Amino acid sequence: MKIYMTEDYQTMSRKAANILSAQIILKPNSVLGLATGSTPVGMYKQLVTWYEKGDLDFAEIKTVNLDEYVGLEPTHEQSYRYFMEEHLFSRVNINPANTNVPDGLAADPQAECKWYNQVIRQMGGIDIQVLGMGRNGHIGFNEPGDAFELETHVVDLTESTIEANARFFASRDDVPRQAMSMGIKSIMMAKKILLMVSGEDKADAVKRAFVGPVTPQVPASILQLHPYVTLVGDKAALSKLMEAKQ
Ligand code: F6R
């Protein structure tokens, strides 16, 4: 695993954007696996800036997002489809037909998950998967559990995740209780992983993920087994990992 430790959130965002743009430049028809949440916002902003300067071209890029809340329409401000439109898709020259996010309003979420697995397969797999990490070690919405869920599946969100995400909704009761998430196998099959972490509140999860056993109780720990992981984090988020490694 390659680790880049940066001073703060801004430099972490820029480093992650550097890595993603290298991918886009070297392989203009890349399949990018994308994440939402507060961590990658600065990276998307940087990519948009470079696109506006003429340094990046998304014309042939295809994307597949990690997850979506069950029950939120694509125009809902807290839906992940809306997030992606806001932060990236509507701001660059990507073909909307090449962007994929599970449909939160699908009448049959299980069938939607099956269809999503097909989409990933038909794209020929993911070239680079961007990930953030939850404070409980989740990646995508793969929550701590007794087993690693393999492919896209419907998840009951844990109290910890509902609590963490309540800040984006009018009230805690408005946070959806379920989501659809890419599974661990789909994530692990990506050729490269770019894991981004920022802030002191992630420091414990980062340490538990990379120092200690690979266990579904800390879903991100599976990344220890991936051959090509780049971890980009600010000092605060990496502090406990670095301490443990000394
Ligand atoms: C988002 C996702 C989640 C987040 C994680 C961290 O698509 O899959 O796993 O990456 O919850 O969220 P933030 O970045 O808001 O701390």
Side-chain angles (χ1 to χ4, degrees), residues 16-239:
N18 276 142
I19 293 168
L20 220 51
S21 13
Q23 175 71 40
I24 294 169
I25 291 165
L26 291 171
K27 188 178 177 203
N29 63 348
S30 290
V31 177
L32 308 180
L34 298 178
T36 61
S38 42
T39 311
V41 168
M43 176 190 70
Y44 291 133
K45 197 164 172 224
Q46 182 64 73
L47 290 175
V48 169
T49 304
W50 286 334
Y51 163 74
E52 286 167 350
K53 282 190 178 160
D55 291 339
L56 285 177
D57 181 9
F58 289 80
E60 292 178 65
I61 291 291
K62 299 184 206 99
T63 67
V64 59
N65 262 77
L66 277 171
D67 41 19
E68 179 61 287
Y69 287 116
V70 170
L72 294 194
E73 60 274 19
T75 50
H76 189 290
E77 283 189 14
Q78 294 311 328
S79 80
Y80 288 171
R81 164 57 79 176
Y82 183 88
F83 175 103
M84 289 310 305
E85 296 294 334
E86 272 296 294
H87 292 283
L88 187 68
F89 299 157
S90 69
R91 300 179 191 272
V92 299
N93 65 333
I94 198 162
N95 178 350
N98 287 342
T99 67
N100 297 282
V101 182
D103 178 1
L105 285 191
D108 180 349
Q110 306 286 355
E112 176 70 9
C113 290
K114 278 201 176 145
W115 172 83
Y116 207 66
N117 291 329
Q118 282 289 105
V119 168
I120 300 171
R121 254 176 242 132
Q122 277 163 12
M123 287 173 138
I126 298 166
D127 288 299
I128 185 164
Q129 176 66 55
V130 177
L131 295 174
M133 194 195 307
R135 279 178 282 183
N136 61 6
H138 73 225
I139 47 177
F141 271 130
N142 293 280
E143 298 281 22
D146 296 330
F148 290 114
E149 290 277 354
L150 299 181
E151 295 198 300
T152 313
H153 55 289
V154 177
V155 196
D156 293 325
L157 301 185
T158 61
E159 284 306 310
S160 138
T161 300
I162 293 168
E163 198 63 51
N165 291 1
R167 67 191 195 277
F168 300 117
F169 291 82
S171 81
R172 195 178 183 284
D173 289 345
D174 291 328
V175 184
R177 269 29 187 183
Q178 286 191 317
M180 285 172 273
S181 175
M182 229 189 246
I184 291 294
K185 180 171 140 199
S186 324
I187 294 172
M188 288 296 280
M189 281 176 69
K191 293 188 187 101
K192 299 177 203 161
I193 303 277
L194 170 58
L195 174 62
M196 305 175 65
V197 286
S198 171
E200 207 185 332
D201 62 339
K202 299 288 172 72
D204 269 321
V206 175
K207 181 178 161 194
R208 289 174 68 216
F210 296 107
V211 181
V214 173
T215 162
Q217 293 300 331
V218 186
S221 65
I222 193 81
L223 299 175
Q224 293 180 36
L225 304 180
H226 193 284
Y228 200 126
V229 175
T230 307
L231 169 60
V232 180
D234 58 24
K235 277 196 317 204
L238 297 188
S239 56

